[in-house]
């Protein structure tokens, strides 16, 4: 997702997306351990999205 779109969202929405991405990350790890994961680029994408959202949440809380 684009950073511009994320900035427009509220902290509640960002927390919801963060939870969703954490679940996806967990599922990817389970697939990897079961030997089903062949597209390893998804790990990097999810990790980067989580970092983006956490950064925005920190910025929003510091702005208050």
């Amino acid at each position: 997702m684009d950073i511009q779109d994320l900035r427009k969202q509220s902290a509640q929405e960002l927390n919801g997306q963060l939870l969703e991405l954490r679940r996806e990350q967990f599922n990817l790890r389970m697939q990897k351990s079961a030997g089903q994961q062949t597209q390893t680029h998804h790990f990097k994408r999810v990790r980067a999205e989580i970092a983006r959202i956490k950064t925005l949440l920190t910025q929003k809380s510091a702005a208050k």
Side-chain angles (χ1 to χ4, degrees):
M1 184 169 279
D2 191 35
I3 192 75
Q4 301 294 339
D5 296 334
L6 290 174
R7 284 202 170 118
K8 294 176 186 174
Q9 295 181 357
S10 68
Q12 293 261 344
E13 293 171 329
L14 290 173
N15 279 323
Q17 282 190 337
L18 182 62
L19 182 62
E20 190 177 311
L21 286 168
R22 294 263 188 199
R23 284 187 182 137
E24 185 178 348
Q25 187 179 39
F26 175 77
N27 289 334
L28 287 171
R29 282 198 316 262
M30 291 300 111
Q31 288 175 3
K32 181 181 177 186
S33 67
Q36 297 173 350
Q37 182 61 278
T38 58
Q39 298 175 339
T40 57
H41 65 280
H42 291 294
F43 292 101
K44 184 177 180 180
R45 179 189 54 82
V46 170
R47 211 171 42 244
E49 284 289 323
I50 289 172
R52 264 187 219 109
I53 289 175
K54 288 178 91 175
T55 301
L56 286 174
L57 286 171
T58 303
Q59 288 174 353
K60 285 180 184 271
S61 68
K64 288 183 180 178

